[in-house]
Structure formats: structure tokens, C-alpha cells
Amino acid sequence: MIPANCGYETWFRTILKANSGYRRDGPMTISADHTAAENTDLNAVQADAQEAEVRRKFGISLEAYMLPAHRQIQMVDPEGQLKAREEQGTEAGHEYPLPGDAELVAAFEQLVVGRRVNDQNSALVRQGRMAVYPSSHGQEACQVAAALCLSEGDWLFPTYRDAVAVMARGVDPVEAMTIFRGDWHGGYDPLEHNVGIQCTPLTTQLLHAVGVAHAAKLRGEKTVVLAMCGDGATSEGDFHEALNFAAVFHLPVIFFIQNNKYAISVPLSHQTVAPSLAHKAVGYGMAGERVDGNDLVALLAVLDRAVKLAREGSGPLLVEANTYRMQAHTNADDATRYRAESEVAEWMAKDPISRLKTYLQGRGLLDAEAEARIAEHAEAVAKQLREGLGEDVPVDPQELFRNVFSEPTPQLREQSALLADELSREATTREETAR
Amino acid sequence: MSPTVTTSSEANGNVSAATARAAAKAAAVAEATGPQPVTMAKALNTALADAMQADSTVLVFGEDVGQLGGVFRITDGLMATFGEQRCFDTPLAESGIVGMAVGMAMNGMRPVIEMQFDAFAYPAFQQIISHVAKMHNRTRGRLKLPLVIRVPYAGGIGGVEHHCDSSESYYAHTPGLKVFTPATVSDAYRMLREAIDSDDPVVFMEAKKLYWSKDQVDLEALRREHDGLSDGGSGTHAQRTEGRAVVARTGTDATLITYGPSVPTAMAAAAAAAEEGRSLEVVDVRSIVPLDDETITASVRKTGRAVVIAEAPGFASISSEIVARIQERCFHYLAAPVRRVTGFDIPYPAPKLEHYYLPSVDRILDAVDDLQWED
Ligand SMILES: Cc1ncc(C[n+]2csc(CCOP(=O)(O)OP(=O)(O)O)c2C)c(N)n1
Ligand SMILES: [Mg+2]
């Protein structure tokens, strides 16, 4: 036991005295009592400076820069044909150069791997080897672009649906799937690849992205952070708070929204009546853009520029990818209850893989040999998943207590001993019955 | 060595003038030696300044904490001293403040954030419960979140609705959060420094009505004590506070167990009881999580009687937890059922009614009288 604090006796009398008069004159004020900063409208001054910079850099007004282009950016059409420049949706100040060939071929490989990962994981759920898998089938172009637009040292903040993006950042596929395997809540070390946890509470991760970017900025690092969320998630309060914080602190965060048209069963029209999700950016003082989320070429073009701008110090940006969730929300969901097959079929024709494949083949960038090699790569990852998730991973009940705090509290030590005792008695009983 | 801290009036001026005054003041503070009258607000402010001085990754942010120095002036002068990068105002959004702090802690910083009032921390609940408390566990210990959420809490100050909640049970009920609440000026300094040093997230509950309580305190000695602690030393005055309750007054007949805003009331009750010839021991829990079962049970085993006192509504609360634990651990030592004096199970009352609600000396003495002395 610790000896009594010598100060207690004299001290408590002063409190009682201090508190007696408090009710009348205590500083129970919640209004700031400092004078407004010389009556200067700092926001107006800032807006003027921003306007001047945008005019110099992009040759358009601040408003035209922040509002998305009138149409979404699309470079390769669903048939795999490169669109004419003036048809791509680009405008003055919203210009996007075509990504390089090497980048596109590497991206195609990830696209094929991503589709294989999605379908393998869904199969593993059906076989009972995984509890649940929210597939990004149909959205793989978004997944790949989100991962590939970043450089080493940059950060990605994914959601539950973004396993393909996580793996494309270099996280081990089996570690990435631990969250859905059921033996722990997370399987990878976020600090190893600068990939946040696959976040389930909607849009909470956007604020973590803001914090990571803020810390990096304070240290003078040129880190860019890409934060992902869905269309439904844009209705959450943390979406608003994250965009506003990123803008106010002028942080290099790219908010990347995969608008796959549904939040479980609820269509986008129930979430917002804004002209588009990209239009939300201007309200925070940041630029927003819309892009065809099934066109990997356009996605890379738009995100590459966003990353470049963010790294140069332009502050945050918002990119809305127009895509579609081809399968049910998860295996537990029945999509036929809320959407028509014809709608799904319509989107089937806009598949991101066939479109890029046709385009690359047409450009002579993808021959049979390369295709075979890519298919082999995808198969290898699928095998890794089957084997890794097929294994019955031994769980350690004592791990339950290990990482609640850095050091277990006395209470947790007691509870861990209790469980250990219970388990050892069970084991003894089992042995005895066996004998 | 002594970091510069300004007074509230200085925070109203411009930053550079405040800095100059702060420097002058710091020189004066450095000269003062030995125990001085210090308020809890000043001790907390000094702890923040010292921690920021010692470690450049310590950041302070929240609503009105910069130029104004916080509505309670706890962050007074920090922006002027350490610059707007290390102490700053955020947009008005509590979830944003906590969520951003999570990201900063993930990326090498030690944020100390202020929730302006107890009830205004609720918008941040999801971030606190689902991420602050669980990130370390979820990532199997790979990610640590060394962040401190300071929450001015509890009543007794004539505050209007939403400004007087005792919200400690919400946090204490959530595995993964440490919950500290100092009751003395010295502990305010000690515990805040320890909270900032902790690699685990700490919800630091500051009883508003104690902010202006004064004690004779030698801040320089506390500073040395802290430095001795963090060097792994065990200097003579070194007292780790985490997980350690403190016997605030020794006694033999019954134990009053309490924390935060109710400690002075319990001390007053013990003093009054002494005049009636009853010797009451007072235990200040101060570290709600982790809880010091040992000190609590040792005292109750010694006295055989206990009253648990807390301002929060009693139902499903810290006080009920403490009673349950005493009953599990001290049953055969008890001469009477453990009593509680807590807030009623009602929304915190309006100012003119709060004195009916708050644990009072009389109510505590009544509860003590009920401890079956005749048997
Ligand atoms: C705060 C919160 N509320 C509700 C849920 C339950 N939930 C999980 S996913 C989901 C739909 C999210 O839709 P969207 O943001 O469009 O992403 P998508 O699933 O389409 O990728 C809901 C409601 C949740 N995870 N978090
Ligand atoms: Mg959606």
C-alpha cells in the first residue's frame, strides 16, 4: 500500500472553500473571450490567393477547378477502344495525359490477379473456409488503380471491400484475409506496408488517413495518403469531418470513392441528391473529379495526377469512380431483393478486364505469352489463398489477453489464469475419459 | 529547463507578445523554489508544457485550445510557446479530433487532445470505442496508439445541461482504454505526465470543480520525480500512479472509497466523522483503469466496513463495479453490506437542483451510520 499523500488534508479544505463561491462567478463560459483577429476576413484573403494560384497553374477559375468536369473522365470505352481526346471528358484545367504503356501492362496483371482473388475468396466462403467475403468483383480496376497510383512510403486506407487493393500494395494475401478467416480481427502489420486496417465502421478510416498525412506533413515528409470509401459511406458524419479536416489543414489526402451504386440494398438516390459525389468536394474547398471506375486507363490517369498534385502541396482531392458491385454485398446478402438482373447485365458489358485486355491487345502490348504468364501468376495467388485459408490455424486462447494493453492489467492476468485453469481442467477430463 | 507557460490574460494578446511575456514569466517561475500555491489547472498546464518540452512528438489540439488556451485555460500559452504546429485549434468536430489523433498516433506522434466538455465527447464515441480502444488488440500489438483524450467532467459547478456529465463508466467499460482521474494538484501533474508517457490510450478525466482547487506544490520537485520515473529510476518521491489507488486519509473504523470530484467531499465527511469519534479511512481510486484492487481490498479488510462514493448515477457504474469487487474479495471481512452514495439514476440536474443530486457530507455520514455498528 502507498503511504497517504501528505497534501490531502490541507488541500481538500481549500477546494471546499474554492467551490463555495464558484457557482456565481466561475468561468463557466463557452464563448471565446479573445478579440477577433483584427477583423480581417482571412478566408477571403485565402480564397483570393487560391484563385490566383489556380489561374496560374491551370488557367481556369477556382470554381471551375474545384467542380468536377462536366462529364466523367473515360479514355477507353467498354469495347476496349481508345476514345478520341475530345470525347474523353477532359476540359481546360481538367486534362489528363494517357498513362504509360508499362504502367498499363503492370496494372492489367494486377487486374487479372484481383479478379482471381475475388473469385477464389468467394469460393472459399462457399466451402466454409472463410466466414464472409465482401467481394470487389467488377470493381477491380478501382482496386488496382488505388494501389498503383501510390509510391513507396505512401499510405493506403482501405475498407472491408478493398482486399484486392491491399494485396496490390504488397500485403501477403493470406495475412490480408485473416480478418475474414475468423482467427483474429486483423492479420497484417499496418506499418509494414503503410496500409491501414481494412476498416469496417464506415468512413472512420478517412480520419485516420487525415491524421497520418498530418503527422507526415509536420515532419516535412512528402507522403501522400489515399483513403477509400463507398458511395453509401459518404452520408456518414466522419466523411464530412475527414474532408473538412484535410482541407483546413491542407493535407495531401486523396479521397477515393468507389460509387458502386449500392450500400447493401440502398441505392445512391437514397443517400444524396447532389449532382454527383465529386461535387461534394467544392463545399470543402477541394477539387473533385469523376472517372469511369471500370476504365483502368482513365482511373490511373486521374489518380496519378491527383497524387502528383497532392505531393506538390495542392492539398486534398476527391475522386469519384463510377463503378458497379457485380455481386451481392457479401455472401449473406440476396441482391435479387433490391435490383433487377437486367441492371446487372448492363454492367456486365462494361467489365474492366475485357475492356483493358482488348485495348492492350489492339496496341500490341499483350501477346499470348504475356497472357499465359499473367494467368499463371493469378493461379499462384489463388493457390496461396486456398492453401493458407484451408489450413486450420491453431488459435491461442491466451492471446485474448495479451494485446488489450501493452502490459496486461492485474485484472486481465487474473482472467487469463482463470481461463488457463478452466482449459487445463477440461484437458484432464478429456484425458481421463479417453482412458 | 522550465517550460514557459502564460496566464489566461496573455493568451488574449497576439502570439509574439505572449511569447515575450511567457519568456519573462518562465524566468520568474524558474526562480521560484519550494512549495508554492498551485491550482490543479496550473498543474495540468505545466504537465502539458513539460511533456511538450521533453518530446517533440507530443501535440496538443482540440477546440479553442490554441489562441484561447482552452475554455478552462488548461492549454494556456502552449501555442505561444511551442508554435501553431504543436498546439492548434481544429475545426469543431469531436470525431474528427479523435479520428485524426488516431492517424497521428499511428504515424509517430503522441497527441493529447481536449474534448471541451464531457457530453461533447459523445460525437467521438465511435472513434474512441471502435478504434482508440481496439487498434492495439486488432493488430496484435503491432500498432500502439499513445494518445491522451482529456475530458473535463462532472458537476458541482452550476453548469447547464451537457456540461456536467460523469461519463467515466462509458470509457471504463470499454476494454483497451485506460481511465485516470486525479483528485489532487500533485496527482494532476503526475498522472497527466504518466498518461502522455503511456503507450496505451488514456482517457484523462478532469473534474471541473477541482480545476481551481489549490495546494502547496513544488512543481520542480514533481518534474524531477517524473524524470526519475521515466528514466526507470525510483527516486524517493517517485510514485507511479497508474493502477495505484492512494490512501488519502488513514482510519480504522470504515473505508470511504471514491475518486475525482467526490474525494474532497469524502475527506470532509471523514473529518466530520472524526469529531464524532469515528475513524474513517479514505481511498482515492484515481486510476479507474487499471483498478487497484489491492489497496482497496487491503483497506476494507482492515476496517471491515465500506462506503463507495461517486457522483455518477450509481446504476451500472464504477461504484457498482467497486462494490462487486469488494464483495468478491472481502466478504468474510465485512461487518456490514457495502453501501454506496452516488448520483441518482437521473439525467444530471439543472443548476438549482444539483445539490440534491451530488453526494454530500451528510449523505456519506448517513451511509456510514448504516454500517451495522450495533452488531
Ligand atoms: C458506421 C457503420 N454503419 C453501418 C455499417 C453496416 N454496413 C456495412 S457495409 C454497409 C454499406 C456500405 O455501403 P458503401 O459505403 O456504398 O460501400 P460498399 O459496401 O458498397 O462497398 C453498411 C450499411 C457499418 N459497417 N458501419
Ligand atoms: Mg456502395
Side-chain angles (χ1 to χ4, degrees):
Chain A
M1 207 191 289
I2 295 165
N5 254 17
C6 51
Y8 268 101
E9 281 296 342
T10 50
W11 154 86
F12 85 87
R13 288 172 214 286
T14 71
I15 297 168
L16 294 176
K17 232 189 283 159
N19 281 334
S20 59
Y22 180 68
R23 212 158 286 168
R24 283 185 304 280
D25 54 19
M28 256 307 298
T29 166
I30 46 171
S31 64
D33 59 9
H34 65 83
T35 50
E38 290 106 41
N39 276 339
T40 321
D41 186 348
L42 275 176
N43 287 62
V45 173
Q46 260 168 17
D48 285 350
Q50 243 179 325
E51 175 89 35
E53 195 193 330
V54 162
R55 281 211 182 276
R56 184 178 54 74
K57 254 175 124 170
F58 306 104
I60 51 174
S61 72
L62 184 60
E63 203 182 339
Y65 168 69
M66 287 182 179
L67 282 170
H70 290 83
R71 287 181 299 144
Q72 70 170 357
I73 310 299
Q74 186 191 57
M75 293 178 161
V76 175
D77 69 19
E79 280 71 48
Q81 302 307 310
L82 183 68
K83 296 177 85 172
R85 267 207 91 77
E86 59 283 4
E87 305 269 284
Q88 291 179 0
T90 55
E91 299 171 3
H94 295 255
E95 288 123 345
Y96 297 98
L98 211 62
D101 291 345
E103 187 181 359
L104 291 178
V105 173
F108 179 72
E109 178 159 354
Q110 289 297 332
L111 197 57
V112 173
V113 172
R115 173 63 53 86
R116 189 69 190 91
V117 163
N118 274 330
D119 295 347
Q120 179 62 74
N121 284 336
S122 296
L124 286 167
V125 173
R126 285 193 299 274
Q127 294 158 20
R129 304 232 216 128
M130 249 190 324
V132 64
Y133 181 68
S135 176
S136 64
H137 187 115
Q139 302 173 220
E140 290 93 346
C142 298
Q143 298 285 306
V144 170
L148 296 197
C149 69
L150 297 172
S151 301
E152 210 182 321
D154 289 343
W155 272 83
L156 179 79
F157 279 85
T159 74
Y160 50 88
R161 197 177 298 288
D162 302 320
V164 169
V166 168
M167 293 177 202
R169 283 303 286 167
V171 173
D172 176 81
V174 177
E175 282 185 16
M177 295 323 298
T178 300
I179 178 176
F180 300 120
R181 182 172 58 183
D183 52 296
W184 205 260
H185 303 306
Y188 56 91
D189 179 354
L191 298 176
E192 195 184 326
H193 296 282
N194 289 358
V195 176
I197 53 135
Q198 275 191 261
C199 195
T200 304
L202 297 170
T203 59
T204 53
Q205 76 281 3
L206 303 187
L207 282 163
H208 308 164
V210 167
V212 162
H214 201 161
K217 184 181 172 178
L218 289 176
R219 283 195 299 265
E221 296 164 2
K222 293 258 173 220
T223 311
V224 171
V225 182
L226 187 138
M228 306 173 78
C229 74
D231 49 304
T234 62
S235 301
E236 290 279 2
D238 277 3
F239 177 81
H240 158 72
E241 298 191 19
L243 266 70
N244 194 42
F245 271 55
V248 166
F249 293 112
H250 203 66
L251 302 172
V253 182
I254 294 158
F255 296 96
F256 182 53
I257 307 170
Q258 291 172 82
N259 173 4
N260 65 5
K261 310 298 177 287
Y262 289 92
I264 308 185
S265 66
V266 180
L268 183 62
S269 57
H270 288 233
Q271 303 292 349
T272 182
V273 293
S276 80
L277 295 173
H279 279 81
K280 297 198 170 202
V282 66
Y284 300 99
M286 72 173 80
E289 198 71 280
R290 283 175 288 190
V291 57
D292 180 343
N294 287 15
D295 174 7
L296 189 45
V297 179
L299 276 163
L300 282 172
V302 170
L303 285 174
D304 282 349
R305 188 178 95 145
V307 169
K308 182 168 171 286
L309 288 177
R311 206 180 308 280
E312 285 170 4
S314 290
L317 296 111
L318 185 156
V319 176
E320 174 190 359
N322 176 22
T323 182
Y324 194 76
R325 198 193 72 212
M326 294 301 293
Q327 299 180 345
H329 173 68
T330 66
N331 51 295
D333 172 42
D334 175 8
T336 62
R337 289 180 74 104
Y338 53 83
R339 68 184 189 188
E341 271 310 310
S342 56
E343 185 184 286
V344 182
E346 231 174 84
W347 278 92
M348 197 90 82
K350 302 178 191 168
D351 189 80
I353 301 189
S354 54
R355 150 175 358 193
L356 186 58
K357 188 166 153 182
T358 310
Y359 172 67
L360 291 178
Q361 282 171 337
R363 297 266 327 275
L365 294 168
L366 188 70
D367 56 16
E369 197 185 314
E371 267 195 75
R373 189 184 51 75
I374 289 170
E376 210 174 294
H377 178 190
E379 257 335 294
V381 176
K383 184 161 175 266
Q384 203 183 341
L385 284 166
R386 281 195 306 274
E387 289 176 358
L389 299 167
E391 269 173 39
D392 208 2
V393 196
V395 293
D396 173 8
Q398 285 304 329
E399 194 181 355
L400 291 171
F401 305 99
R402 211 166 288 145
N403 291 310
V404 182
F405 298 104
S406 308
E407 292 284 331
T409 60
Q411 287 76 16
L412 287 176
R413 260 183 261 131
E414 246 175 55
Q415 291 165 25
S416 121
L418 206 70
L419 180 61
D421 176 57
E422 182 186 308
L423 293 174
S424 84
R425 278 184 291 118
E426 262 175 36
T428 319
T429 318
R430 258 200 314 277
E431 271 169 40
E432 277 165 7
T433 10
R435 251 188 274 126
Chain B
M1 154 82 225
S2 169
T4 54
V5 196
T6 67
T7 64
S8 57
S9 59
E10 284 164 335
N12 301 338
N14 69 48
V15 175
S16 57
T19 313
R21 281 195 298 275
K25 188 131 199 168
V29 169
E31 276 166 33
T33 50
Q36 309 283 325
V38 177
T39 61
M40 182 180 280
K42 170 72 178 169
L44 292 167
N45 178 266
T46 308
L48 287 172
D50 288 1
M52 291 179 87
Q53 179 89 352
D55 180 353
S56 65
T57 66
V58 175
L59 307 172
V60 171
F61 53 93
E63 294 159 8
D64 299 291
V65 301
Q67 180 77 9
L68 180 67
V71 293
F72 294 104
R73 307 295 185 268
I74 307 301
T75 59
D76 197 10
L78 298 179
M79 189 176 85
T81 308
F82 297 99
E84 287 181 48
Q85 301 220 312
R86 298 200 46 211
C87 174
F88 53 88
D89 292 323
T90 64
L92 226 169
E94 294 75 15
S95 187
I97 294 166
V98 175
M100 182 166 79
V102 168
M104 287 180 135
M106 285 173 73
N107 198 8
M109 298 298 181
R110 300 185 96 85
V112 184
I113 55 180
E114 177 172 304
M115 297 285 104
Q116 200 157 68
F117 283 87
D118 32 61
F120 305 137
Y122 302 151
F125 216 56
Q126 172 166 243
Q127 287 288 350
I128 297 175
I129 306 304
S130 294
H131 292 304
V132 174
K134 297 186 172 79
M135 196 66 87
H136 183 252
N137 183 254
R138 173 188 295 138
T139 61
R140 293 181 143 139
R142 283 151 177 159
L143 264 191
K144 298 204 184 303
L145 288 187
L147 69 93
V148 179
I149 303 173
R150 294 184 34 249
V151 185
Y153 82 117
I157 56 166
V160 293
E161 199 188 2
H162 313 296
H163 294 75
C164 296
D165 283 12
S166 286
S167 48
E168 64 272 22
S169 303
Y170 304 136
Y171 305 111
H173 190 69
T174 304
L177 299 174
K178 287 178 176 167
V179 183
F180 297 175
T181 184
T184 70
V185 176
S186 304
D187 272 356
Y189 180 91
R190 286 194 186 106
M191 298 190 83
L192 187 50
R193 295 288 318 257
E194 247 184 79
I196 296 170
D197 288 344
S198 172
D199 280 341
D200 296 314
V202 178
V203 180
F204 196 85
M205 312 284 302
E206 301 168 2
K208 287 185 287 279
K209 79 171 184 193
L210 301 184
Y211 273 149
W212 298 278
S213 64
K214 260 194 197 144
D215 196 5
Q216 290 288 322
V217 166
D218 184 347
L219 286 170
E220 189 52 44
L222 281 173
R223 214 169 265 145
R224 278 197 307 274
E225 174 190 301
H226 170 269
D227 293 346
L229 260 186
S230 56
D231 291 347
S234 55
T236 37
H237 298 286
Q239 277 189 328
R240 259 183 81 85
T241 57
E242 181 186 316
R244 294 192 190 176
V246 62
V247 177
R249 177 188 172 107
T250 49
T252 50
D253 298 341
T255 304
L256 307 180
I257 299 150
T258 187
Y259 57 86
S262 303
V263 173
T265 322
M267 292 296 285
E275 280 166 27
E276 296 168 10
R278 218 164 246 164
S279 164
L280 302 186
E281 183 145 305
V282 179
V283 174
D284 173 4
V285 171
R286 75 180 172 175
S287 167
I288 295 176
V289 180
L291 188 71
D292 182 357
D293 283 312
E294 238 176 88
T295 300
I296 295 169
T297 52
S299 175
V300 176
R301 283 177 184 168
K302 183 181 81 177
T303 61
R305 289 178 168 86
V307 178
V308 181
I309 304 143
E311 199 177 303
F315 192 83
S317 67
I318 307 296
S319 64
S320 31
E321 177 65 23
I322 292 174
V323 173
R325 303 180 83 84
I326 292 172
Q327 114 87 21
E328 282 171 342
R329 288 162 173 75
C330 309
F331 185 76
H332 295 291
Y333 297 83
L334 289 174
V338 181
R339 287 289 313 266
R340 281 192 296 165
V341 177
T342 67
F344 299 124
D345 297 327
I346 57 171
Y348 194 85
K352 287 181 178 161
L353 291 157
E354 72 176 346
H355 64 283
Y356 294 111
Y357 170 91
L358 293 169
S360 64
V361 169
D362 284 344
R363 221 172 264 166
I364 294 169
L365 292 178
D366 286 348
V368 170
D369 283 345
D370 268 0
L371 295 174
Q372 302 186 4
W373 300 95
E374 265 64 82
D375 299 1

